Amino acid sequence: MLDAKTQHIGGRKGASGAKAMLYDVGNAEMSLRERVKELTCLYRLGEVIERCEGSLDPLDVLFQGIADILPESWLHSEIAQARIVFGGREYATADFQESLWAMSADLVVAGKNAGAVEIHYLDEMPTVDEGPFLNEERSLINAVAERLGKVVERLEARKALRERVKELTCLYKLGEVIDRC
């Protein structure tokens, strides 16, 4: 049993030290839960990327898939909504609503701003690091936007390569026909 007058916990004396230590442990647990949510988001991002690369509409699968998983990774996931804007289209969670409490990151493709990744809270929440958002959430949304930009670049390069292969194949066949004449 802890004697509040004589025991030391974490370098603090007494019952107030015990309360402070419990508070620190509670904060550490919450912080760990948030980091797990962020890591899970990045893992699931990889799964969505794999799924999109084999689909007929890879950008639609990519952006909608990411919009659907992003809110789960935010501190107040129960009121979070996501939207990705790219190429004049919007990909958003069901019943998306813009709000005053938003965080966004530019989606850059080939060095140009091509859209945005956004998180919106439906209700006002207490201020933490960046409004109601954590610094780690800023890092996460930036990482997601950067990764999406690179995936779009890769998808566009593959598409251009397939088109060039078709053109070269056509020219080769045309050359064969000409040689026979």
Side-chain angles (χ1 to χ4, degrees):
M1 187 79 177
L2 180 67
D3 178 354
K5 294 180 182 176
T6 59
Q7 295 292 322
H8 296 272
I9 297 178
R12 298 180 182 112
K13 288 186 178 182
S16 64
K19 287 180 187 175
M21 176 117 176
L22 289 175
Y23 178 77
D24 289 345
V25 169
N27 279 345
E29 286 177 4
M30 184 191 92
S31 182
L32 285 173
R33 277 193 306 274
E34 292 307 308
R35 298 310 72 77
V36 167
K37 288 179 0 183
E38 292 157 9
L39 287 171
T40 300
C41 176
L42 294 172
Y43 173 74
R44 292 186 66 200
L45 172 67
E47 291 176 337
V48 171
I49 290 168
E50 285 179 26
R51 228 181 21 241
C52 87
E53 290 178 340
S55 71
L56 296 175
D57 285 320
L59 293 180
D60 288 346
V61 171
L62 176 68
F63 293 133
Q64 190 59 58
I66 300 305
D68 289 340
I69 65 171
L70 276 179
E72 302 165 10
S73 303
W74 260 251
L75 177 61
H76 303 290
S77 57
E78 69 281 358
I79 60 164
Q81 294 188 326
R83 173 172 65 183
I84 298 173
V85 179
F86 180 80
R89 296 193 58 193
E90 290 186 7
Y91 305 85
T93 50
D95 302 323
F96 175 84
Q97 297 173 20
E98 282 193 46
S99 74
L100 298 173
W101 310 284
M103 171 180 270
S104 69
D106 291 338
L107 206 166
V108 177
V109 177
K112 297 179 183 170
N113 187 352
V117 178
E118 304 172 357
I119 293 290
H120 293 257
Y121 280 164
L122 295 175
D123 297 315
E124 184 175 10
M125 299 307 289
T127 298
V128 282
D129 297 323
E130 185 179 325
F133 302 104
L134 300 171
N135 287 333
E136 294 84 358
E137 292 168 335
R138 164 55 60 201
S139 296
L140 179 61
I141 198 169
N142 288 346
V144 168
E146 181 180 348
R147 183 89 186 267
L148 289 176
K150 290 181 186 303
V151 171
V152 170
E153 288 173 0
R154 190 173 68 239
L155 290 171
E156 288 178 349
R158 283 183 185 167
K159 182 179 178 183
L161 181 61
R162 281 192 304 273
E163 289 173 4
R164 294 304 158 276
V165 167
K166 284 180 187 178
E167 290 172 3
L168 290 173
T169 302
C170 183
L171 287 173
Y172 177 77
K173 289 180 181 182
L174 183 60
E176 286 181 334
V177 169
I178 292 173
D179 285 344
R180 287 184 206 156
C181 294

